[in-house]
Amino acid sequence: MTTDQNWSKDATVYQIWPASYKDSNGDGIGDIPGAISTLDYLKDLGVDIVWLSPMYKSPMEDMGYDISDYQDINPDFGTLQDMQDLIDGCHKRGMKIICDLVINHTSDQHAWFKESRSSLDNPKRDWYIWRKPRYDSEGNRQPPNNWLSYFSGSAWSYDETTDEYYLRLFSHGQPDLNWENEECRQAIYDSALKFWFDKGVDGFRIDTAGLYSKDQSFADAPIVFKDQYYQPSDKYTHTGPRIHEFHKEMYEQIFSKYDIMTVGEVGHCEREEALKYVSAARKEMEMMFLFDIVELGSDDQDRFRYLGWKLKDFKAAIQKQCDFIKGTDAWSTVFIENHDNARCISRFGNDKEYREKSSKLLATLQTTLTGTLFIYQGQEIGMTNLPRSWPIDEYKDINTMNYYKAFKEKCGNDADFKEKEKKLFDIINLVARDHARSPVQWNAEQYAGFSTSEPWMRVNDNYKEINVESQQKDSDSLWSFYKQLLQMRKEYKELFIYGSFEILDYDNEKVFTYVKELSDGKHPKAYVVLNMSDDSVEFKPLIDGDFKLISSNVKAVDYDEKVLTSWESRVYLVN
């Protein structure tokens, strides 16, 4: 990793989730050749780095996050040669490419796990985490402890071959690797990291980067949810005793040898702890994602326990993201959508009466914040959540399906089940991961131009109104607006990417106003005002100076300097 990492700091990163991005061969599943066919489109939009979500060989129990071979490609997505063509295609256009690094767990179909489970004395037995059952007072076999899986139920799976349980914090088919075993770590570094760097990959988004080190006591987790037996295991599995040692080792042995970027999906921890992962002096990772915005309104241990949010909460989450690096040598990220979260327009805008206008407002927010900017596929055209009218059968995500199944088992016989089910559906329709995973809407033809045959997941019903082709032809579309904003972000990069951030109207529940400025005091400030409500409100500048409008989501003919119309956004330079 070089000392001058500005290429990753200044960048706009575009995330491709392969299964739902673009299908080139008509089998209904997105693929790498499909992604290659859109590289000029991405370059034109203003993208600097392509982030490709897992494309590795996988039985796809968790959509590729269950890897059976780090050094091969899932046949649904293409071949190793296709992957090389994608890497080369990005480089040819002056773009970089990063991939997902999924090394907390493998698939149970990985050769390592097949060996590990074959016998108690297999040389790879200790490459995964095995424990004996415990037995209750009636003599019934139980998992080793009460840890909850991120996908509902126990975090342990029983294996009859050796009469032991293996730890899998996610699905049955995702056994956790044992990072305590040095031989296992070296095999991970060789096959999952070095192999791809040598092929030209420019870095990694590091999946579940806070989970590798488990507390070796494997004690029962404290009771957080009183209405269930299995409990969140964060106390024993997140940011464990050796986690920073492992990240430093990875940096020293592998990352430091290449000019690359690394961004960690660490999850929830206090700022001081989080900064240990990304302080430049500590040499672990370059930056990380903070989840305060995307998980706003949800319990951070369970997204479907949803309480809602107010604009003050939203401002606080943005403030936390922007203040994260204040006075440190760390770097930050900006994102509001990804493959694990619902569509921002449905979560934070008004996707009914003010769909395009509120999408433009959210785009203005994202492109004026400090840090490396990440955009998720379809965000640039304002793709929305799935329709509320769709039945549960249309949802495909293992997290949603397992949660609904557990809910039915628990409440299915309750007299008020229908009422409870409706409430859960409302929440699923707002925050489920499925909303990010419907096929990208390329045009108004059948299957939205994603494929020539029926896709693996149903296309959102609104693809005729929301698609790339129509927006590229329209100079007033969200796509065109995004392109302008990305150019503005680059033109004033010192101000928007690196500038300090200060909220001016924290208690205002309709309007969000903030200032970006440089510490030297010699440059103009940026004054950003966002009316995040359905009402018109009076516009009164909260600072003095000479205001010059450089971006607005309202046409000049409709513009009234003294009134902010519903969901109006403005960016001024102020001398």
Short mmCIF file of all heavy atoms in Angstrom, two decimals, residues 271 275 323-331:
data_model
loop_
_atom_site.label_atom_id
_atom_site.label_comp_id
_atom_site.label_asym_id
_atom_site.label_seq_id
_atom_site.Cartn_x
_atom_site.Cartn_y
_atom_site.Cartn_z
N ARG A 271 -16.45 4.71 18.53
CA ARG A 271 -15.52 5.43 17.65
C ARG A 271 -14.06 5.10 17.95
O ARG A 271 -13.28 4.84 17.03
CB ARG A 271 -15.76 6.94 17.80
CG ARG A 271 -14.86 7.80 16.92
CD ARG A 271 -15.27 9.27 16.99
NE ARG A 271 -14.46 10.09 16.09
CZ ARG A 271 -13.39 10.78 16.47
NH1 ARG A 271 -13.01 10.75 17.74
NH2 ARG A 271 -12.72 11.51 15.60
N LEU A 275 -11.63 3.46 15.20
CA LEU A 275 -10.44 4.14 14.68
C LEU A 275 -9.19 3.26 14.71
O LEU A 275 -8.27 3.46 13.92
CB LEU A 275 -10.20 5.44 15.44
CG LEU A 275 -11.17 6.58 15.06
CD1 LEU A 275 -11.09 7.71 16.08
CD2 LEU A 275 -10.90 7.10 13.65
N ASP A 323 -17.92 13.32 11.23
CA ASP A 323 -17.01 13.64 12.34
C ASP A 323 -16.07 12.48 12.67
O ASP A 323 -15.14 12.65 13.46
CB ASP A 323 -17.80 13.98 13.61
CG ASP A 323 -18.39 15.38 13.55
OD1 ASP A 323 -18.10 16.10 12.56
OD2 ASP A 323 -19.15 15.75 14.46
N PHE A 324 -16.32 11.33 12.10
CA PHE A 324 -15.58 10.11 12.46
C PHE A 324 -14.07 10.33 12.40
O PHE A 324 -13.32 9.89 13.25
CB PHE A 324 -16.01 8.96 11.54
CG PHE A 324 -15.23 7.68 11.75
CD1 PHE A 324 -15.32 7.00 12.96
CD2 PHE A 324 -14.42 7.16 10.76
CE1 PHE A 324 -14.60 5.83 13.17
CE2 PHE A 324 -13.70 5.99 10.95
CZ PHE A 324 -13.79 5.32 12.16
N ILE A 325 -13.60 11.05 11.36
CA ILE A 325 -12.15 11.20 11.17
C ILE A 325 -11.58 12.50 11.72
O ILE A 325 -10.40 12.77 11.61
CB ILE A 325 -11.79 11.08 9.67
CG1 ILE A 325 -12.55 12.13 8.84
CG2 ILE A 325 -12.06 9.68 9.16
CD1 ILE A 325 -12.12 12.20 7.39
N LYS A 326 -12.44 13.33 12.31
CA LYS A 326 -12.02 14.64 12.83
C LYS A 326 -10.83 14.49 13.78
O LYS A 326 -10.90 13.74 14.76
CB LYS A 326 -13.20 15.27 13.58
CG LYS A 326 -13.42 16.73 13.27
CD LYS A 326 -14.65 17.23 14.03
CE LYS A 326 -15.06 18.61 13.57
NZ LYS A 326 -16.32 19.01 14.16
N GLY A 327 -9.76 15.22 13.49
CA GLY A 327 -8.60 15.22 14.37
C GLY A 327 -7.83 13.92 14.40
O GLY A 327 -7.10 13.64 15.35
N THR A 328 -7.99 13.08 13.37
CA THR A 328 -7.30 11.78 13.32
C THR A 328 -6.54 11.64 12.00
O THR A 328 -6.64 12.50 11.12
CB THR A 328 -8.31 10.60 13.40
OG1 THR A 328 -8.98 10.47 12.14
CG2 THR A 328 -9.34 10.81 14.50
N ASP A 329 -5.83 10.52 11.86
CA ASP A 329 -5.15 10.23 10.59
C ASP A 329 -5.93 9.17 9.80
O ASP A 329 -5.37 8.49 8.94
CB ASP A 329 -3.71 9.77 10.84
CG ASP A 329 -3.66 8.45 11.63
OD1 ASP A 329 -4.72 8.01 12.14
OD2 ASP A 329 -2.56 7.87 11.73
N ALA A 330 -7.21 9.02 10.12
CA ALA A 330 -8.04 8.00 9.46
C ALA A 330 -8.78 8.61 8.26
O ALA A 330 -8.77 9.82 8.06
CB ALA A 330 -9.04 7.43 10.46
N TRP A 331 -9.43 7.76 7.48
CA TRP A 331 -10.24 8.20 6.35
C TRP A 331 -11.63 7.59 6.45
O TRP A 331 -11.84 6.60 7.16
CB TRP A 331 -9.56 7.83 5.02
CG TRP A 331 -10.22 8.47 3.83
CD1 TRP A 331 -10.79 7.83 2.76
CD2 TRP A 331 -10.42 9.88 3.60
NE1 TRP A 331 -11.32 8.74 1.88
CE2 TRP A 331 -11.11 10.00 2.37
CE3 TRP A 331 -10.10 11.03 4.31
CZ2 TRP A 331 -11.48 11.25 1.85
CZ3 TRP A 331 -10.46 12.26 3.79
CH2 TRP A 331 -11.13 12.36 2.56
#
